[in-house]
Amino acid sequence: MRRHHVLWEAHVRRFLDALDRHKKGRLTAEEAGELLGLSGRHFRRQCARYETEGVDGLRDKRLGRVSNRRAPESELDRMRRLYREEYSDFTVKHFHEELRRRHNYTLGYTVTRLALQTSGEVKAAPGRGKHRKKRVRRPMVGMMLMQDGSTHRWMAALGHDIDLIVTMDDATGWIYSAFFVDQEGTMSSFLGLLETISAHGLFGSFYTDRGSHYFHTPVAGGAVDKKQLTQVGRALKQLGIRHIPSYTPEGRGRMERVFRTLQQRLPPLLRRAGVLTKETANIWLRETYIPEHNARFGKEAAEPGSAFVSSAGLALAEVLCEQEDRQVSRDNCVSWSGRSLQIPEQRHRRLYDKAVVSVHEYPDGRLAIFDGPRCLVRFDAKGVLIDEPAPSAT
């Protein structure tokens, strides 16, 4: 109040000084108004009020009056009640979006945030840290994709944390693949790549952290070994995709911000949708959330067109899988993860004892045994034969 009184007295003194100089012809009305931060017309209006009302005529008549644009208290009460009863785990921004979309709410975000903070429903966000310049996005879709996983309590109904695997385009921020798994690893990386390449095609480069399923790192925190490839590295090399390791947290900043948004939005949305299982959640992600997320947060690429290349004709499933060489034992069996896999009799070769074959394990747990490009046999996830070749001719 004292500050307001001091400022008011200063304004009156400046006005009287400008008025005196104007009456003496030293200043025009426009020049006097400029000194006070007013137009010449408004200065003349204030002069007339001063002549008839004195100093009180200089006061702003709007002070103390309720704004005609003030938000109705009944609408603010309705908003607070909805927040407490249905949306208490939403961020204010997300809550405001849902209000406008589902509850015929017309008030702006700022008045909603301030009303919630004033009532103590939410706390004001802390000040942001030091600003870092964001890395420039790739100019065209398909030039570089990023993949990462985030461990979080995505569904409270499960009672434990699970991992969300996201594959995203750097140029637009569009999510091409997202699904929940018990634990991030080689198979989850293959599944994300398979979904993305099957839908869009081959891309230029793949940016990831240095997790052990992506790279071999001889010294913790050091450079990756580009000669000793992981299963993911081998598959990317076969497909002609450049694999780029991230060496700093800042380098993964774009993906980290996406996960922060997902951690804020997905748990309450999954709760409201009544999703209770991982399998149902993956269907909901694919059919409902990802299209809405891309429409809300996706950016336009700097350049038109696409750097994706068609993958038609490629046996993607045979590349995006674990591959290991095994020597066949005398009983024509191959050992794999504690199981014995029998190779049936082939038309071109009856026995494979001591031969080296390649075992493929796919993201869904299925298995296959290859002799070069020839598939000898396939098994389901339990190791049961599912498509035995025709017997040899006699």
Side-chain angles (χ1 to χ4, degrees), residues 34 98 110 125 129 132 220 225 257 268 287 331 339 341 386:
E34 186 176 353
E98 293 295 303
T110 300
R132 291 186 176 89
D225 187 339
R257 288 189 291 273
E287 297 180 355
D331 58 359
R339 288 176 291 188
L341 306 177
I386 57 177

Side-chain angles (χ1 to χ4, degrees), residues 127-359:
R128 295 187 177 184
K130 181 181 179 181
H131 173 72
R132 291 186 176 89
K133 187 176 180 180
K134 294 182 180 179
R135 175 180 56 80
V136 177
R137 295 177 182 268
R138 293 296 193 273
M140 186 182 295
V141 296
M143 292 185 68
M144 185 173 80
L145 270 61
M146 299 180 286
Q147 187 183 82
D148 203 356
S150 174
T151 304
H152 188 65
R153 188 63 57 91
W154 297 103
M155 288 179 283
L158 293 180
H160 59 84
D161 294 353
I162 56 176
D163 290 348
L164 174 65
I165 311 301
V166 171
T167 306
M168 183 180 75
D169 196 302
D170 180 63
T172 61
W174 275 48
I175 293 176
Y176 292 139
S177 171
F179 51 85
F180 294 110
V181 294
D182 290 328
Q183 187 173 14
E184 178 185 8
T186 298
M187 290 304 185
S188 64
S189 297
F190 279 149
L191 182 56
L193 287 166
L194 183 60
E195 289 184 352
T196 301
I197 297 173
S198 297
H200 303 279
L202 298 170
F203 48 91
S205 59
F206 194 50
Y207 188 86
T208 69
D209 61 25
R210 289 170 291 158
S212 59
H213 55 293
Y214 289 126
F215 293 99
H216 287 298
T217 307
V219 180
V224 301
D225 187 339
K226 296 184 178 181
K227 295 182 179 180
Q228 185 181 2
L229 301 179
T230 63
Q231 291 284 345
V232 175
R234 181 267 313 155
L236 292 172
K237 185 176 182 180
Q238 281 184 255
L239 295 172
I241 297 172
R242 181 187 175 203
H243 197 181
I244 305 175
S246 172
Y247 285 95
T248 63
E250 292 81 5
R252 299 189 299 275
R254 187 158 292 134
M255 184 63 84
E256 295 295 336
R257 288 189 291 273
V258 168
F259 276 126
R260 185 166 61 243
T261 298
L262 294 175
Q263 288 176 3
Q264 291 171 344
R265 290 176 175 251
L266 285 183
L269 287 175
L270 288 165
R271 173 184 60 79
R272 286 183 61 81
V275 176
L276 302 177
T277 66
K278 183 177 61 180
E279 293 73 21
T280 307
N282 285 335
I283 296 172
W284 179 84
L285 275 176
R286 182 173 61 253
E287 297 180 355
T288 302
Y289 181 75
I290 293 178
E292 294 179 358
H293 178 96
N294 290 340
R296 170 67 177 82
F297 297 103
K299 310 291 184 183
E300 287 291 332
E303 296 182 10
S306 172
F308 282 110
V309 177
S310 174
S311 62
L314 289 177
L316 291 176
E318 305 307 336
V319 177
L320 298 171
C321 63
E322 286 199 21
Q323 300 179 8
E324 294 284 352
D325 288 343
R326 288 289 189 274
Q327 187 174 44
V328 183
S329 61
R330 290 184 177 181
D331 58 359
N332 224 36
C333 291
V334 172
S335 296
W336 182 265
S337 299
R339 288 176 291 188
S340 182
L341 306 177
Q342 178 79 47
I343 301 177
E345 183 178 332
Q346 305 292 312
R347 289 181 176 179
H348 64 287
R349 183 169 178 174
R350 293 187 61 191
L351 297 175
Y352 272 84
D353 59 303
K354 297 186 180 181
V356 176
V357 294
S358 177
V359 179

Side-chain angles (χ1 to χ4, degrees), residues 64-76 80 107 111:
R65 292 175 54 186
V66 177
S67 171
N68 294 330
R69 300 176 59 188
R70 184 173 181 175
E73 195 61 36
S74 59
E75 185 69 348
L76 293 177
R80 295 188 190 98
L107 299 180
V111 68

Side-chain angles (χ1 to χ4, degrees), residues 76 79 91-97 99-100 105-117 122-125 128 265 296:
L76 293 177
M79 177 270 295
T91 64
V92 178
K93 186 69 175 177
H94 194 188
F95 171 53
H96 182 254
E97 292 175 6
L99 283 175
R100 295 180 67 89
Y105 186 77
T106 58
L107 299 180
Y109 165 72
T110 300
V111 68
T112 303
R113 174 177 58 81
L114 293 176
L116 288 173
Q117 290 176 355
V122 299
K123 296 180 180 180
R128 295 187 177 184
R265 290 176 175 251
R296 170 67 177 82

